């Protein structure tokens, strides 16, 4: 998320807590004044003019503290899940066990986000039917409501990424365009996110924007992944880049990058995909060499 949107989200969260403490502070001040007046019969010694700014400042401090504590508490289960899944991914790649473990967390506040991520991972396994079915279980209305109310657009951006991948894999070009157009506001908020950039490159490839897709791939660094998992992210990017290089007629480079993908494929589907790209590149190179030989004669 861009810095200004992230700051806006934080400001919204703090303002909510501040408002709660302001209301409580005003109620407390009113109660103290009533008790004070009741027992002292004096209306001047309890200074509301002094109390109000002090109470407002204290409420703001409490609001900031409460926001960060509540945010940390909400993120704790997700962080534990993420560490557990990363460890499984390192050992098993996209195994059935990993997918079952991920789907077991599709409940409560994490339900929509887990379903969206699961859809993208099913796509990486080549299981388009499961990817589509899982994504259909996500509540888009709730996702967008939360995005607008909190300013956190990540799940919304990932939803449209998952939708774009499914439509590309099912060769639904019109659906891919609709998903991109519908999600552009949220996708642009995460324009430097590695997952969003990867999906954008896939979308550009499907749209025959091969040079643009290759340029997009070069921007992806996978900084958010642990060092031991970056090789899988790079392998995915290499596979996408290889496809575009084949379409641009750069067959030797395509084979080079497809082999990189082959070495660290995250699933059998991605391995087969890389092998297919190599076959396409070599076949195209053979045809081109044959044409060159004919011309020389």
């Amino acid at each position: 998320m861009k810095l200004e949107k992230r700051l806006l989200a934080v400001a919204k969260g703090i303002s909510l807590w501040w408002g709660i403490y302001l209301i409580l502070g005003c109620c407390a001040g009113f109660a103290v004044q009533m008790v004070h007046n009741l027992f002292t019969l004096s209306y001047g010694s309890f200074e509301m003019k002094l109390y109000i700014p002090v109470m407002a400042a204290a409420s703001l401090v409490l609001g900031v503290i409460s926001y960060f504590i509540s945010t940390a508490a909400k993120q704790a289960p997700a962080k534990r899940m993420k560490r557990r899944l990363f460890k499984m991914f390192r050992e098993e790649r996209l195994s059935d066990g990993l997918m079952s473990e991920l789907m077991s967390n599709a409940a409560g506040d994490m339900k929509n986000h887990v379903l969206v991520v699961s859809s993208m991972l099913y796509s990486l396994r080549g299981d388009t039917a499961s990817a589509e079915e899982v994504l259909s279980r996500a509540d888009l209305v709730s996702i967008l409501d939360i995005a607008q109310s909190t300013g956190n657009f990540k799940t919304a951006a990932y939803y449209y990424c998952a939708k774009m991948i499914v439509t590309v894999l099912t060769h639904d070009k019109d659906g891919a365009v609709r998903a991109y157009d519908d999600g552009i506001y949220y996708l642009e908020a995460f324009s430097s996110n590695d997952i969003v950039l990867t999906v954008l490159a896939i979308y550009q490839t499907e749209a025959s924007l091969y040079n643009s897709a290759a340029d997009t791939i070069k921007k992806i660094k996978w900084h958010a992944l642990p060092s031991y998992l970056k090789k899988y992210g790079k392998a995915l990017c290499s596979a996408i880049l290889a496809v575009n290089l084949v379409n641009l007629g750069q067959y030797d480079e395509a084979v080079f990058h497809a082999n990189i993908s082959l070495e660290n494929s995250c699933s059998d589907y991605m391995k087969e995909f890389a092998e297919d790209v190599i076959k396409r590149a070599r076949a195209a190179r053979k045809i081109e060499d044959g044409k060159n030989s004919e011309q020389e004669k």
Side-chain angles (χ1 to χ4, degrees):
M1 187 187 295
K2 292 180 179 179
L3 180 59
E4 60 270 21
K5 293 186 181 294
R6 185 174 297 174
L7 292 175
L8 180 60
V10 172
K12 283 184 177 180
I14 291 174
S15 64
L16 177 63
W17 281 104
W18 189 21
I20 292 172
Y21 285 119
L22 276 175
I23 294 171
L24 293 175
C26 289
C27 292
F30 178 75
V32 170
Q33 185 177 35
M34 291 294 292
V35 171
H36 183 273
N37 292 342
L38 181 64
F39 287 100
T40 65
L41 300 179
S42 171
Y43 291 85
S45 57
F46 183 75
E47 292 288 344
M48 287 298 292
K49 289 182 180 180
L50 178 62
Y51 173 77
I52 290 174
V54 172
M55 182 269 296
S59 298
L60 178 58
V61 172
L62 288 173
V64 172
I65 293 171
S66 297
Y67 169 78
F68 285 107
I69 290 175
S70 64
T71 300
K74 286 181 179 179
Q75 291 178 349
K79 287 182 177 179
R80 287 195 296 270
M81 179 190 71
K82 196 173 182 180
R83 287 195 296 268
R84 187 166 63 252
L85 291 171
F86 275 173
K87 182 179 179 181
M88 289 185 68
F89 189 90
R90 183 182 188 181
E91 297 171 353
E92 306 174 16
R93 299 187 299 166
L94 290 180
S95 65
D96 292 338
L98 184 141
M99 297 306 300
S100 296
E101 176 67 22
L102 177 59
M103 288 298 296
S104 69
N105 290 277
D109 291 340
M110 293 194 296
K111 179 181 177 180
N112 284 324
H113 191 76
V114 168
L115 289 173
V116 168
V117 171
S118 297
S119 176
M120 288 191 280
L121 294 182
Y122 274 121
S123 292
L124 283 176
R125 283 164 52 105
D127 188 352
T128 310
S130 293
E132 201 165 9
E133 188 274 329
V134 166
L135 188 62
S136 69
R137 288 159 54 188
D139 186 351
L140 180 58
V141 173
S142 175
I143 290 172
L144 299 183
D145 282 347
I146 291 172
Q148 293 300 323
S149 61
T150 65
N152 186 348
F153 295 167
K154 178 173 281 189
T155 301
Y158 282 8
Y159 173 88
Y160 288 107
C161 283
K163 189 70 174 178
M164 288 164 65
I165 295 173
V166 168
T167 52
V168 167
L169 290 179
T170 55
H171 306 291
D172 179 6
K173 290 189 176 183
D174 291 338
V177 172
R178 283 196 302 273
Y180 178 79
D181 290 342
D182 291 344
I184 187 65
Y185 177 68
Y186 305 100
L187 296 170
E188 286 185 345
F190 280 85
S191 59
S192 60
N193 179 278
D194 290 328
I195 292 176
V196 173
L197 286 172
T198 301
V199 175
L200 176 60
I202 293 172
Y203 176 77
Q204 290 169 331
T205 303
E206 182 69 8
S208 302
L209 302 172
Y210 307 127
N211 283 307
S212 296
D215 290 339
T216 299
I217 289 294
K218 293 173 184 176
K219 299 176 185 177
I220 302 170
K221 305 300 180 185
W222 296 110
H223 291 311
L225 287 180
S227 57
Y228 57 85
L229 293 183
K230 286 184 179 180
K231 61 183 180 180
Y232 295 109
K234 291 177 180 178
L236 174 59
C237 289
S238 293
I240 299 168
L241 179 58
V243 173
N244 286 281
L245 291 172
V246 169
N247 290 319
L248 289 169
Q250 301 176 35
Y251 307 122
D252 294 336
E253 283 191 59
V255 171
F256 173 78
H257 287 285
N259 276 317
I260 292 176
S261 178
L262 197 58
E263 290 173 6
N264 293 299
S265 296
C266 60
S267 67
D268 291 337
Y269 169 75
M270 290 305 302
K271 182 179 179 181
E272 292 169 4
F273 183 88
E275 290 173 343
D276 182 63
V277 173
I278 292 172
K279 290 177 182 177
R280 284 178 54 198
R282 286 176 174 166
R285 165 59 72 191
K286 189 175 181 180
I287 292 171
E288 186 175 282
D289 289 344
K291 289 181 178 178
N292 291 336
S293 296
E294 288 287 334
Q295 291 175 354
E296 287 176 2
K297 291 179 182 179

